[in-house]
Amino acid sequence: MTSIAIGKDIIRKEAWDKVTGRALYNADYASPGLMHGVLVTSTCAHGLIKSMDYSEAQQMPGVKAILTGDYHPMLTGPVIEDRPPLARDKVRYYGEPVALVIANSKAEAAAAASKIKIQYENLPTVDKPSAAMSKEAPLVHEHIDQYRHVIPEVYPQANSNIVHQVKIRKGDMNKGWQASEVTVEGEFFLPQADHIAMETRNTRAEILPSGDIIVHSSSQAPFGVRKLISQHFGVDLGKVVVNVPLVGGGYGGKAPIQMEFLAVMASQAVGGRPVLIANTREQDISASPSKLSLEAKVKLGASRDGILQAGEYTFIVGTGAYADSGPRMTGSMASNCTGPYKLDNVWCDAYCVYTNHTYATAYRGFGHTSFTFAVERAMDKLAAALNLDPVELRRKNLIKAGDTSPSQVILTPSRLGDVAQCLDKVEKLINWSEGSRVEIDNNRIRAKGVACLWKTSDSPTDAIAAAIVAFNSDGSINLNVGAVEIGPATKTTLAQILAEKMKMDVNRVHVEMEVNTRVSPHHWKTVASMSTYMVGRAVEEAAKDAINQIISLAAIAMKCSPEDLALGQEQVYLKDDPNIYIDLAHIAHGYKYPGGNTIGSQVIGRGTYVMPHLSSLDRENGKGKPGPYWTPGAQAVEVELNLADYTYKILRAATVLDAGKVINPKSAKGVVMGGMSMGLGLGSRESFIYDQEQELQNTSLRSYKVLRIGEQPEYLVDWVETPNANAPFGARGIGEHGIVAIHAALVNALSRAAQVELDQVPVIPELIWQKREEEKA
Amino acid sequence: MFQLTGEGLIELNVNGETRKALVRPADTLLFALRERLGLTGAKPGCENGDCGACTVLVDGWPIKSCLMLAVEAVGREIQTVEGLNGAPIQKAFVDKFAFQCGYCTSGFIMNCQGLINIHPDASDEVMQEWLQSNICRCTSYQEITEAIKSVLITENT
Ligand code: FES
Ligand code: FES
């Protein structure tokens, strides 16, 4: 059967609004009487707030209120409640919000904010994850054992910086090491980095006389915002309304809730009037959450013939000054710790620890970019130790249906996909067989690196989604879902799914771009590459519901049995004679008999979805099912290194994912290329730089460097399509996966080119030089 | 010489119209366009000249409107993305899927439009030099490169 909308390069619904400047993002909406909040942030990474003098600020023109941590004391967090929206008594990272000035204009608020004088008494700092583990480490949180747990499965250790620990115990390690004739070990470091969504986070809030709290925010989680505002401000859930228009990039960074608390507090302080709080770029980098840091140790054992026998993984995950989703990511990393390889004997200890750095949250890949780097660098070391080709070693060990994951999920083709095919395809794309290290002349070396990946959703076990499909009287459809459009054309993809189900032109499916929690049906969050799957399933259900209604009504109108009818091209027709039909437009709002009597009414289909059979990880052995399926893939990079100064060019970067089914090839390719672009940035230049006092140094886009045009390699993308039995049209999530192993592939290539072991990112020329010098010495 | 103290009314020539705007001497052109004239196509991304999201054309040249004071723009011809009317570069961005979230798009398109006006036959090097002043975090730049090249007059066409 030929498809109508699936597998087609449908141009995103809001495309023309975006190229004409008419697409509106949160801060583009003018609101008369809008007031502005400006944050004052900490200049100290760890210290007691000794005094705060805002007398001068209070006298400044236009100032309406100044809030500090005492204004509405509360502790927040999605896993463990450890974070005050405004610091109280002490600060735990450079950039932490300490006060909020509300004034008539942004300029007035900013002028007053600069007049606030704060004195800190410096405390010793925790500068990296491993330092946080030491017995003598200063405590970032003194009362870690007294915080409220939002989910039961989080295990903070009193009098330590360890907020969570996850263990994976699978198989028999003794047996594994005994069978290992060759072992390799490596230590790896991945620093913090930033999402750099081009739209900085911003929220405006107002409290109406009715008590309704209206929030407008650049958020990936409108329903999460609603829930927490309701909870923390003691207002009925339904009285909180969260609106999210188009979002200017998220990558996980707009899933946590930070600005929203502040904006509601600000509005409260000025009698409910609307207040906008918008991060400057510097605040978006230093005050709002970032990417976690990781110190990892990986030890792999294999038999002579290159079959993995044992894997031991230690992950120390730096979540910064507050836990946010750090514990969840730690679990996610541990439960997938091997990468897509078959290993019967697995031991993993993953710790989530506090440091005095900007706190961490979800970042495209949910921790997978970091641990995958460690695993894939270790695989290259093992290949070298065994004298095996890196692609060959991987191929010998790829995980297959029938094997189990580290958290002991039994894998099926539907759950796992086909990573072997991905590797085969990427090997050809990058032309591996022509040689993975070629000397071009005395100075220039071309080298290639490869890496494999897998990722599942790691969502809560009760995450739900829903969809409403309402027909217009002309037979077209309005689709309303709770997923946010943050960039990857989610809404257009959902329209394609609906159009295919209804067998109609996708242009006749109108999608509401904005989310309003009072109008839109529920969706957990627009994260984890899960929207197409979860909301897609709900859309399929809603389509089925609508079709049933349409066919029953048409059966009456056409005086036949529903079984005799079929739907397509906005007509309901007789299966055995399509020339006898009724237009959808004539039944979408009820069928009108020739005399005027009408039966039926507006067709409204509804659909819901919850992921079945997910379970949390067992505390002792990590057993549990973290997601409904995996998306696996393989990536490769080719570089050209100049030995004269260790500069390098990234020539080509390739990704093959098992997408299950590609719904919109051009959009999907773009999303994967975008992921690679971000990952190559992390591999080659991006990282937070802290000084001795743990003050973040690179808080602007001048000092925090991202990839720019002309620096990109040639990108190659291809697909494998092993359907996931539960997903709409078999489609697996692909939103994050382009980033996951690409910096591992990059650094595998650079290590090969430079013939040194590069075990950290970003790899800047100086690092290569340093390692070469160490090697010589 | 034009002088402004305190807050004052200035006239800006935007997209072929004369518009009045109440500004302070310290207000940027970006602020005046967005907050006073409702032209929100130009976006703040850094307000420090680093990202290009705020790019508009001033007398035909791309300018980061966060780095220009509103008063400096008096008497000059300003074009924002809202003033482009079905320009080929807009269609090229749509056809090549050269954006995702779209937040950087207005700035990129205006920079491209400036390049097309001034160097319609720009080489790859010139094109890159111009567009390096803009950041896109969603796409890979391969799509944007394809879009601008489809509009520039290259040797092959
Ligand atoms: S906002 Fe003007 S360059 Fe970034
Ligand atoms: S499309 Fe999102 S930043 Fe360019």
Side-chain angles (χ1 to χ4, degrees):
Chain A
M1 203 180 78
T2 58
S3 73
I4 294 174
I6 299 297
K8 302 261 189 295
D9 293 326
I10 306 293
I11 286 171
R12 62 172 66 234
K13 295 264 174 193
E14 76 287 10
W16 279 96
D17 302 340
K18 284 181 171 172
V19 295
T20 50
R22 297 290 297 280
L24 293 179
Y25 302 80
N26 200 50
D28 294 338
Y29 287 86
S31 161
L34 187 64
M35 305 184 82
H36 295 261
V38 166
L39 281 174
V40 179
T41 60
S42 171
T43 52
C44 163
H46 196 195
L48 301 174
I49 303 173
K50 277 295 160 198
S51 67
M52 200 182 297
D53 176 4
Y54 43 85
S55 50
E56 190 185 349
Q58 245 164 351
Q59 304 307 318
M60 298 281 288
V63 173
K64 294 293 164 199
I66 298 176
L67 311 186
T68 66
D70 291 333
Y71 175 74
H72 186 130
M74 57 174 162
L75 291 174
T76 69
V79 174
I80 181 169
E81 291 181 344
D82 60 357
R83 193 181 66 81
L86 290 171
R88 263 189 114 194
D89 306 330
K90 81 179 252 189
V91 290
R92 298 182 172 90
Y93 69 96
Y94 173 91
E96 179 163 7
V98 282
L100 177 60
V101 180
I102 303 136
N104 284 330
S105 70
K106 190 164 185 180
E108 287 167 323
S114 70
K115 299 289 185 212
I116 294 181
K117 296 177 199 74
I118 305 170
Q119 275 180 343
Y120 301 98
E121 180 185 318
N122 286 329
L123 295 170
T125 54
V126 178
D127 63 351
K128 55 177 194 256
S130 55
M133 298 280 289
S134 128
K135 286 260 175 301
E136 293 78 48
L139 293 181
V140 180
H141 294 258
E142 292 79 6
H143 305 296
I144 188 173
D145 50 332
Q146 289 169 22
Y147 292 138
R148 193 179 87 88
H149 296 188
V150 179
I151 56 169
E153 305 85 5
V154 55
Y155 317 116
Q157 295 178 17
N159 300 311
S160 82
N161 290 310
I162 301 171
V163 60
H164 189 48
Q165 186 187 352
V166 184
K167 294 183 205 168
I168 298 286
R169 303 287 183 265
K170 180 183 149 187
D172 179 344
M173 293 313 289
N174 279 334
K175 218 170 110 193
W177 293 126
Q178 268 159 24
S180 300
E181 290 154 297
V182 178
T183 60
V184 292
E185 259 185 275
E187 293 189 19
F188 309 91
F189 177 62
L190 298 104
Q192 281 191 302
D194 197 80
H195 305 82
I196 315 282
M198 291 316 296
E199 176 200 30
T200 60
R201 298 161 176 97
N202 66 89
T203 303
R204 72 179 193 281
E206 64 182 309
I207 305 169
L208 299 179
S210 61
D212 283 4
I213 299 181
I214 314 292
V215 176
H216 295 261
S217 194
S218 64
S219 168
Q220 293 174 246
F223 292 91
V225 171
R226 180 178 68 160
K227 182 169 156 201
L228 292 189
I229 295 290
S230 150
Q231 198 177 306
H232 286 289
F233 291 87
V235 185
D236 285 353
L237 197 62
K239 289 189 78 67
V240 181
V241 183
V242 181
N243 299 272
V244 176
L246 295 171
V247 172
Y251 326 109
K254 289 173 180 163
I257 295 152
Q258 181 189 37
M259 311 293 283
E260 292 85 355
F261 292 128
L262 295 166
V264 173
M265 275 162 47
S267 176
Q268 222 173 26
V270 295
R273 290 176 60 184
V275 181
L276 170 71
I277 306 181
N279 270 349
T280 61
R281 175 58 60 188
E282 290 73 13
Q283 289 167 340
D284 215 50
I285 291 178
S286 62
S288 287
S290 62
K291 180 180 194 285
L292 55 76
S293 60
L294 174 69
E295 283 176 67
K297 266 190 213 153
V298 177
K299 187 175 168 194
L300 296 176
S303 49
R304 253 286 137 234
D305 57 353
I307 305 299
L308 287 169
Q309 303 293 338
E312 187 183 301
Y313 311 80
T314 310
F315 300 149
I316 309 178
V317 177
T319 190
Y322 296 102
D324 200 80
S325 51
R328 278 209 115 96
M329 287 189 281
T330 306
S332 164
M333 294 159 78
S335 65
N336 286 316
C337 62
T338 53
Y341 303 108
K342 173 183 159 69
L343 261 156
D344 292 334
N345 307 306
V346 182
W347 183 99
C348 171
D349 265 0
Y351 301 91
C352 181
V353 301
Y354 291 127
T355 64
N356 288 115
H357 289 163
T358 297
Y359 70 104
T361 192
Y363 190 106
R364 199 174 200 162
F366 212 56
H368 282 56
T369 50
S370 304
F371 88 81
T372 301
F373 178 85
V375 167
E376 291 298 324
R377 286 291 299 125
M379 286 297 278
D380 260 31
K381 290 179 202 291
L382 184 62
L386 287 161
N387 208 6
L388 266 177
D389 177 81
V391 172
E392 222 25 67
L393 173 69
R394 286 173 172 83
R395 187 174 285 124
K396 276 173 185 274
N397 288 288
L398 288 175
I399 200 158
K400 289 185 289 294
D403 298 337
T404 60
S405 78
S407 72
Q408 304 184 43
V409 179
I410 298 168
L411 300 167
T412 62
S414 164
R415 282 183 190 160
L416 177 64
D418 188 344
V419 57
Q421 259 200 70
C422 295
L423 184 61
D424 290 349
K425 280 195 165 181
V426 94
E427 186 186 16
K428 290 204 186 76
L429 269 186
I430 205 79
N431 204 356
W432 187 265
S433 60
E434 74 181 2
S436 61
R437 189 176 191 278
V438 180
E439 295 185 7
I440 308 213
D441 53 36
N442 280 346
N443 274 333
R444 287 180 310 144
I445 315 275
R446 279 197 184 179
K448 293 169 189 165
V450 68
C452 297
L453 67 108
W454 67 343
K455 187 187 176 295
T456 183
S457 68
D458 297 287
S459 37
T461 53
D462 59 352
I464 64 163
I468 300 171
V469 163
F471 278 77
N472 296 310
S473 58
D474 65 352
S476 67
I477 308 179
N478 296 334
L479 173 60
N480 186 2
V481 296
V484 176
E485 184 54 66
I486 51 176
T490 306
K491 302 255 188 183
T492 305
T493 305
L494 293 169
Q496 289 177 255
I497 291 173
L498 182 56
E500 189 70 38
K501 285 286 161 192
M502 303 301 304
K503 298 202 185 72
M504 68 195 272
D505 183 351
V506 68
N507 291 317
R508 300 275 291 160
V509 176
H510 310 287
V511 195
E512 177 52 43
M513 279 294 153
E514 306 207 352
V515 174
N516 171 323
T517 57
R518 200 171 265 176
V519 177
S520 316
H522 197 90
H523 177 45
W524 162 53
K525 281 181 198 177
T526 305
V527 295
S529 315
M530 289 306 283
S531 299
T532 300
Y533 172 76
M534 290 182 63
V535 187
R537 276 294 295 264
V539 167
E540 285 189 327
E541 282 298 312
K544 215 186 278 170
D545 183 22
I547 291 170
N548 278 340
Q549 296 173 38
I550 290 164
I551 298 280
S552 331
L553 194 55
I556 298 170
M558 293 173 75
K559 302 193 179 71
C560 63
S561 156
E563 274 71 49
D564 298 339
L565 295 173
L567 172 71
Q569 301 305 338
E570 295 183 45
Q571 293 173 341
V572 182
Y573 55 86
L574 287 181
K575 284 179 187 162
D576 69 347
D577 184 0
N579 288 323
I580 301 180
Y581 65 86
I582 183 165
D583 283 325
L584 196 47
H586 290 145
I587 45 178
H589 276 201
Y591 173 70
K592 193 156 121 196
Y593 285 102
N597 289 345
T598 302
I599 54 160
S601 184
Q602 183 179 17
V603 175
I604 301 178
R606 48 177 201 152
T608 58
Y609 186 67
V610 62
M611 285 188 273
H613 303 149
L614 300 193
S615 59
S616 321
L617 304 180
D618 181 86
R619 188 170 181 178
E620 296 311 322
N621 60 20
K623 228 174 146 172
K625 188 168 175 226
Y629 65 79
W630 277 259
T631 301
Q635 301 189 290
V637 171
E638 182 180 15
V639 296
E640 185 179 302
L641 176 71
N642 189 331
L643 291 176
D645 56 6
Y646 301 121
T647 56
Y648 59 89
K649 278 192 269 203
I650 307 173
L651 302 176
R652 294 190 299 156
T655 297
V656 179
L657 296 180
D658 190 338
K661 175 76 197 169
V662 181
I663 292 183
N664 187 324
K666 252 181 153 175
S667 284
K669 187 178 173 198
V671 166
V672 170
M673 293 198 300
M676 286 197 269
S677 174
M678 248 173 134
L680 293 173
L682 295 177
S684 62
R685 66 205 68 195
E686 292 180 39
S687 79
F688 277 2
I689 299 167
Y690 289 96
D691 70 4
Q692 292 277 315
E693 277 71 48
Q694 306 316 311
E695 290 174 16
L696 185 55
Q697 298 298 296
N698 50 343
T699 60
S700 82
L701 293 175
R702 204 162 297 181
S703 46
Y704 185 102
K705 304 272 186 200
V706 300
L707 239 60
R708 296 200 182 234
I709 203 164
E711 296 173 325
Q712 81 275 14
E714 180 192 351
Y715 288 106
L716 308 162
V717 177
D718 203 356
W719 311 103
V720 170
E721 294 187 324
T722 312
N724 171 261
N726 293 332
F729 302 96
R732 298 169 193 274
I734 52 153
E736 301 161 286
H737 302 71
I739 197 174
V740 171
I742 201 74
H743 63 1
L746 168 70
V747 180
N748 280 342
L750 287 169
S751 295
R752 185 159 301 119
Q755 292 176 311
V756 288
E757 295 298 306
L758 301 164
D759 291 335
Q760 68 192 71
V761 290
V763 176
I764 55 172
E766 194 180 326
L767 179 74
I768 305 177
W769 168 78
Q770 203 184 328
K771 291 287 165 195
R772 296 264 298 191
E773 293 299 303
E774 279 171 22
E775 201 90 333
K776 279 186 213 154
Chain B
M1 211 181 89
F2 178 79
Q3 260 197 18
L4 183 68
T5 44
E7 218 170 9
L9 210 53
I10 60 168
E11 276 190 355
L12 292 174
N13 179 341
V14 187
N15 300 331
E17 291 175 31
T18 304
R19 307 270 312 260
K20 287 192 177 16
L22 190 65
V23 296
R24 299 175 310 136
D27 284 336
T28 61
L29 176 59
L30 176 65
F31 174 89
L33 291 171
R34 289 178 56 84
E35 308 290 326
R36 295 291 183 248
L37 303 181
L39 296 168
T40 55
K43 307 284 185 220
C46 67
E47 298 183 88
N48 193 41
D50 300 329
C51 78
C54 62
T55 306
V56 300
L57 299 185
V58 175
D59 295 336
W61 286 81
I63 293 284
K64 288 167 174 169
S65 64
C66 71
L67 288 185
M68 185 179 228
L69 296 174
V71 292
E72 290 180 282
V74 171
R76 309 178 66 174
E77 253 178 61
I78 304 158
Q79 192 182 20
T80 71
V81 69
E82 290 91 343
L84 282 189
N85 234 327
I89 189 65
Q90 291 172 298
K91 184 163 187 308
F93 264 62
V94 170
D95 289 344
K96 303 293 181 191
F97 283 52
F99 53 91
Q100 291 175 34
C101 81
Y103 197 83
C104 70
T105 310
S106 308
F108 256 109
I109 284 183
M110 293 317 286
N111 198 354
C112 288
Q113 188 59 40
L115 179 66
I116 293 159
N117 292 343
I118 291 162
H119 298 295
D121 53 359
S123 64
D124 280 7
E125 289 69 37
V126 170
M127 178 270 284
Q128 283 173 10
E129 199 181 324
W130 275 57
L131 298 193
Q132 280 198 340
S133 59
N134 293 53
I135 294 173
C136 175
R137 192 62 161 170
C138 295
T139 75
S140 70
Y141 298 117
Q142 187 159 302
E143 308 88 324
I144 294 175
T145 304
E146 282 171 19
I148 178 71
K149 285 175 88 161
S150 75
V151 177
L152 289 172
I153 309 160
T154 57
E155 282 159 26
N156 314 333
T157 54

PDB file of all heavy atoms in Angstrom, chain A residues 115 196 261 296 323 341 349 400 467 502-504 531 613 717 772:
ATOM      1  N   LYS A 115      22.821  47.747  42.080  1.00  0.00           N
ATOM      2  CA  LYS A 115      23.102  48.487  43.313  1.00  0.00           C
ATOM      3  C   LYS A 115      23.013  47.609  44.567  1.00  0.00           C
ATOM      4  O   LYS A 115      23.228  48.091  45.675  1.00  0.00           O
ATOM      5  CB  LYS A 115      22.106  49.649  43.472  1.00  0.00           C
ATOM      6  CG  LYS A 115      22.158  50.660  42.352  1.00  0.00           C
ATOM      7  CD  LYS A 115      23.430  51.483  42.417  1.00  0.00           C
ATOM      8  CE  LYS A 115      23.390  52.576  41.366  1.00  0.00           C
ATOM      9  NZ  LYS A 115      24.712  52.904  40.847  1.00  0.00           N
ATOM     10  N   ILE A 196      23.085  26.016  25.186  1.00  0.00           N
ATOM     11  CA  ILE A 196      23.088  27.143  24.238  1.00  0.00           C
ATOM     12  C   ILE A 196      21.896  27.083  23.293  1.00  0.00           C
ATOM     13  O   ILE A 196      22.057  27.116  22.061  1.00  0.00           O
ATOM     14  CB  ILE A 196      24.417  27.231  23.429  1.00  0.00           C
ATOM     15  CG1 ILE A 196      25.632  27.063  24.323  1.00  0.00           C
ATOM     16  CG2 ILE A 196      24.501  28.527  22.649  1.00  0.00           C
ATOM     17  CD1 ILE A 196      26.037  28.261  25.145  1.00  0.00           C
ATOM     18  N   PHE A 261       9.140  29.382  38.779  1.00  0.00           N
ATOM     19  CA  PHE A 261       8.953  29.675  40.206  1.00  0.00           C
ATOM     20  C   PHE A 261       9.200  31.156  40.475  1.00  0.00           C
ATOM     21  O   PHE A 261       8.461  31.818  41.206  1.00  0.00           O
ATOM     22  CB  PHE A 261       9.944  28.862  41.057  1.00  0.00           C
ATOM     23  CG  PHE A 261       9.682  27.375  41.058  1.00  0.00           C
ATOM     24  CD1 PHE A 261      10.704  26.486  40.748  1.00  0.00           C
ATOM     25  CD2 PHE A 261       8.439  26.867  41.388  1.00  0.00           C
ATOM     26  CE1 PHE A 261      10.483  25.113  40.767  1.00  0.00           C
ATOM     27  CE2 PHE A 261       8.205  25.497  41.407  1.00  0.00           C
ATOM     28  CZ  PHE A 261       9.236  24.612  41.092  1.00  0.00           C
ATOM     29  N   ALA A 296      34.885   8.860  34.618  1.00  0.00           N
ATOM     30  CA  ALA A 296      34.521   7.453  34.419  1.00  0.00           C
ATOM     31  C   ALA A 296      35.761   6.586  34.376  1.00  0.00           C
ATOM     32  O   ALA A 296      36.824   7.009  33.908  1.00  0.00           O
ATOM     33  CB  ALA A 296      33.757   7.295  33.103  1.00  0.00           C
ATOM     34  N   ALA A 323      20.610  18.633  42.654  1.00  0.00           N
ATOM     35  CA  ALA A 323      20.444  17.331  41.995  1.00  0.00           C
ATOM     36  C   ALA A 323      19.685  17.427  40.678  1.00  0.00           C
ATOM     37  O   ALA A 323      20.038  16.777  39.693  1.00  0.00           O
ATOM     38  CB  ALA A 323      19.727  16.366  42.940  1.00  0.00           C
ATOM     39  N   TYR A 341      26.601  -3.620  23.397  1.00  0.00           N
ATOM     40  CA  TYR A 341      27.441  -4.809  23.280  1.00  0.00           C
ATOM     41  C   TYR A 341      26.934  -5.893  24.209  1.00  0.00           C
ATOM     42  O   TYR A 341      26.407  -5.603  25.289  1.00  0.00           O
ATOM     43  CB  TYR A 341      28.901  -4.466  23.606  1.00  0.00           C
ATOM     44  CG  TYR A 341      29.424  -3.377  22.719  1.00  0.00           C
ATOM     45  CD1 TYR A 341      29.651  -2.090  23.213  1.00  0.00           C
ATOM     46  CD2 TYR A 341      29.636  -3.618  21.356  1.00  0.00           C
ATOM     47  CE1 TYR A 341      30.089  -1.073  22.377  1.00  0.00           C
ATOM     48  CE2 TYR A 341      30.068  -2.597  20.512  1.00  0.00           C
ATOM     49  CZ  TYR A 341      30.284  -1.333  21.029  1.00  0.00           C
ATOM     50  OH  TYR A 341      30.697  -0.326  20.196  1.00  0.00           O
ATOM     51  N   ASP A 349      29.110   0.758  39.179  1.00  0.00           N
ATOM     52  CA  ASP A 349      28.758   1.629  40.290  1.00  0.00           C
ATOM     53  C   ASP A 349      28.681   3.045  39.731  1.00  0.00           C
ATOM     54  O   ASP A 349      29.679   3.552  39.212  1.00  0.00           O
ATOM     55  CB  ASP A 349      29.838   1.591  41.387  1.00  0.00           C
ATOM     56  CG  ASP A 349      29.489   0.579  42.469  1.00  0.00           C
ATOM     57  OD1 ASP A 349      28.426  -0.068  42.361  1.00  0.00           O
ATOM     58  OD2 ASP A 349      30.298   0.417  43.407  1.00  0.00           O
ATOM     59  N   LYS A 400      22.427  -8.503  20.498  1.00  0.00           N
ATOM     60  CA  LYS A 400      21.414  -9.005  19.564  1.00  0.00           C
ATOM     61  C   LYS A 400      20.150  -9.391  20.329  1.00  0.00           C
ATOM     62  O   LYS A 400      20.156  -9.543  21.552  1.00  0.00           O
ATOM     63  CB  LYS A 400      21.932 -10.266  18.854  1.00  0.00           C
ATOM     64  CG  LYS A 400      23.036 -10.009  17.855  1.00  0.00           C
ATOM     65  CD  LYS A 400      23.421 -11.268  17.099  1.00  0.00           C
ATOM     66  CE  LYS A 400      24.158 -12.296  17.937  1.00  0.00           C
ATOM     67  NZ  LYS A 400      25.478 -11.886  18.400  1.00  0.00           N
ATOM     68  N   ALA A 467      -4.311  12.880  22.955  1.00  0.00           N
ATOM     69  CA  ALA A 467      -4.534  13.680  21.742  1.00  0.00           C
ATOM     70  C   ALA A 467      -6.027  13.882  21.526  1.00  0.00           C
ATOM     71  O   ALA A 467      -6.829  13.009  21.849  1.00  0.00           O
ATOM     72  CB  ALA A 467      -3.931  12.978  20.534  1.00  0.00           C
ATOM     73  N   MET A 502      -6.025   8.684   8.686  1.00  0.00           N
ATOM     74  CA  MET A 502      -7.316   9.110   8.128  1.00  0.00           C
ATOM     75  C   MET A 502      -7.306   8.988   6.605  1.00  0.00           C
ATOM     76  O   MET A 502      -8.297   9.317   5.969  1.00  0.00           O
ATOM     77  CB  MET A 502      -7.602  10.571   8.503  1.00  0.00           C
ATOM     78  CG  MET A 502      -7.606  10.913   9.972  1.00  0.00           C
ATOM     79  SD  MET A 502      -8.794  10.029  10.983  1.00  0.00           S
ATOM     80  CE  MET A 502     -10.323  10.407  10.158  1.00  0.00           C
ATOM     81  N   LYS A 503      -6.182   8.621   6.060  1.00  0.00           N
ATOM     82  CA  LYS A 503      -5.985   8.551   4.589  1.00  0.00           C
ATOM     83  C   LYS A 503      -6.404   9.861   3.924  1.00  0.00           C
ATOM     84  O   LYS A 503      -7.201   9.891   3.002  1.00  0.00           O
ATOM     85  CB  LYS A 503      -6.783   7.390   3.996  1.00  0.00           C
ATOM     86  CG  LYS A 503      -6.346   6.028   4.528  1.00  0.00           C
ATOM     87  CD  LYS A 503      -6.753   4.932   3.556  1.00  0.00           C
ATOM     88  CE  LYS A 503      -6.468   3.544   4.077  1.00  0.00           C
ATOM     89  NZ  LYS A 503      -7.401   3.148   5.167  1.00  0.00           N
ATOM     90  N   MET A 504      -5.889  10.962   4.444  1.00  0.00           N
ATOM     91  CA  MET A 504      -6.213  12.256   3.843  1.00  0.00           C
ATOM     92  C   MET A 504      -4.966  13.120   3.707  1.00  0.00           C
ATOM     93  O   MET A 504      -3.908  12.794   4.224  1.00  0.00           O
ATOM     94  CB  MET A 504      -7.296  12.968   4.664  1.00  0.00           C
ATOM     95  CG  MET A 504      -6.865  13.432   6.038  1.00  0.00           C
ATOM     96  SD  MET A 504      -8.294  13.853   7.060  1.00  0.00           S
ATOM     97  CE  MET A 504      -8.496  15.573   6.615  1.00  0.00           C
ATOM     98  N   SER A 531       8.262  11.985  21.949  1.00  0.00           N
ATOM     99  CA  SER A 531       6.970  12.583  21.614  1.00  0.00           C
ATOM    100  C   SER A 531       6.312  11.899  20.425  1.00  0.00           C
ATOM    101  O   SER A 531       5.113  11.666  20.426  1.00  0.00           O
ATOM    102  CB  SER A 531       7.125  14.080  21.368  1.00  0.00           C
ATOM    103  OG  SER A 531       7.615  14.670  22.562  1.00  0.00           O
ATOM    104  N   HIS A 613       4.552  -1.560  31.282  1.00  0.00           N
ATOM    105  CA  HIS A 613       5.577  -2.460  31.825  1.00  0.00           C
ATOM    106  C   HIS A 613       6.925  -1.829  32.115  1.00  0.00           C
ATOM    107  O   HIS A 613       7.941  -2.504  32.083  1.00  0.00           O
ATOM    108  CB  HIS A 613       5.811  -3.668  30.902  1.00  0.00           C
ATOM    109  CG  HIS A 613       4.568  -4.444  30.649  1.00  0.00           C
ATOM    110  ND1 HIS A 613       4.346  -5.126  29.473  1.00  0.00           N
ATOM    111  CD2 HIS A 613       3.457  -4.620  31.399  1.00  0.00           C
ATOM    112  CE1 HIS A 613       3.156  -5.702  29.520  1.00  0.00           C
ATOM    113  NE2 HIS A 613       2.590  -5.403  30.672  1.00  0.00           N
ATOM    114  N   VAL A 717      24.109  10.747   6.465  1.00  0.00           N
ATOM    115  CA  VAL A 717      23.111  10.113   7.330  1.00  0.00           C
ATOM    116  C   VAL A 717      22.427   8.992   6.557  1.00  0.00           C
ATOM    117  O   VAL A 717      22.088   9.158   5.382  1.00  0.00           O
ATOM    118  CB  VAL A 717      22.036  11.134   7.789  1.00  0.00           C
ATOM    119  CG1 VAL A 717      20.956  10.443   8.627  1.00  0.00           C
ATOM    120  CG2 VAL A 717      22.678  12.272   8.579  1.00  0.00           C
ATOM    121  N   ARG A 772      51.288  14.351  23.398  1.00  0.00           N
ATOM    122  CA  ARG A 772      52.444  13.926  22.603  1.00  0.00           C
ATOM    123  C   ARG A 772      53.732  14.164  23.380  1.00  0.00           C
ATOM    124  O   ARG A 772      54.643  13.343  23.368  1.00  0.00           O
ATOM    125  CB  ARG A 772      52.491  14.704  21.277  1.00  0.00           C
ATOM    126  CG  ARG A 772      51.306  14.423  20.378  1.00  0.00           C
ATOM    127  CD  ARG A 772      51.561  13.382  19.339  1.00  0.00           C
ATOM    128  NE  ARG A 772      52.617  13.767  18.406  1.00  0.00           N
ATOM    129  CZ  ARG A 772      52.864  13.102  17.283  1.00  0.00           C
ATOM    130  NH1 ARG A 772      52.124  12.037  16.952  1.00  0.00           N
ATOM    131  NH2 ARG A 772      53.834  13.482  16.484  1.00  0.00           N
TER     132      ARG A 772
END
